[in-house]
């Protein structure tokens, strides 16, 4: 606990807002991702990572629920990639289904251009080919 005597403490793998949200949760049991809709999903991802790192399972579950609720055209692809990276099968399946069901909206939101992970891109292509095959039956 050498940090108690330090004038400044560095916490890696996070940003100030996410770490503040973690501390607020620990002190008050209040779960707050902020007001901005676009940044809520990213804050939930960051906060979930902190909850895992500091072993706060209830906060981790609250973040997982918030992530599932934040799947939308603009967030589906980034959340899909994050779910793939984290190994979150439930969120991964939800995002894949969302992309399949709302393809036009996801594409219009720029979701396709946001793809960075080739494995995720291959998975989405496979889903699209499966849908085409089903339509041909």
């Amino acid at each position: 606990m050498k940090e108690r005597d330090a004038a400044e403490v560095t916490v890696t793998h996070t940003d100030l807002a996410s770490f503040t949200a973690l501390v607020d949760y620990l002190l008050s049991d209040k779960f707050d991702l902020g007001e901005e809709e676009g940044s809520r999903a990213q804050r939930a991802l960051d906060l979930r990572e902190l909850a895992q790192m500091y072993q706060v399972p209830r906060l981790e579950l609250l973040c997982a629920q918030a992530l599932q609720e934040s799947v939308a055209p603009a967030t589906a692809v980034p959340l899909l990639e994050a779910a793939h990276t984290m190994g979150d099968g439930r969120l991964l399946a939800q995002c894949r289904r969302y992309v399949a069901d709302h393809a036009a909206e996801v594409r219009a939101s720029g979701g396709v251009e946001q793809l960075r992970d080739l494995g995720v891109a291959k998975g989405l292509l496979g889903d699209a080919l499966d849908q085409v095959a089903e339509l041909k039956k």
Side-chain angles (χ1 to χ4, degrees):
M1 295 299 296
K2 67 179 181 176
E3 291 87 0
R4 73 161 196 237
D5 296 326
E8 186 175 301
V9 176
T10 302
V11 180
T12 58
H13 308 298
T14 192
D15 59 25
L16 178 61
S18 297
F19 191 74
T20 300
L22 171 68
V23 172
D24 287 345
Y25 174 79
L26 293 172
L27 294 174
S28 65
D29 197 37
K30 291 182 183 170
F31 179 66
D32 183 16
L33 295 174
E35 297 297 321
E36 292 181 42
E37 195 62 37
S39 65
R40 289 175 57 83
Q42 186 60 51
R43 175 76 35 74
L45 283 170
D46 295 342
L47 194 52
R48 183 175 178 188
E49 186 177 340
L50 285 174
Q52 288 173 337
M53 187 183 321
Y54 291 106
Q55 300 177 5
V56 187
R58 183 170 176 270
L59 179 59
E60 190 176 342
L61 290 172
L62 289 169
C63 290
Q65 180 181 7
L67 287 169
Q68 291 172 358
E69 293 170 358
S70 67
V71 177
T75 62
V77 172
L79 286 176
L80 178 65
E81 288 186 314
H84 176 71
T85 301
M86 293 184 306
D88 185 337
R90 175 180 262 171
L91 182 60
L92 182 68
Q94 180 184 357
C95 290
R96 285 177 65 188
R97 177 85 283 170
Y98 188 91
V99 169
D101 292 345
H102 302 89
E105 294 98 325
V106 170
R107 186 172 183 163
S109 75
V112 175
E113 289 77 19
Q114 294 176 35
L115 271 170
R116 295 174 297 194
D117 187 311
L118 186 57
V120 171
K122 287 179 180 179
L124 288 175
L125 178 59
D127 290 346
L129 293 173
D130 290 345
Q131 282 189 321
V132 169
E134 282 294 316
L135 291 173
K136 286 188 174 185
K137 286 184 180 179

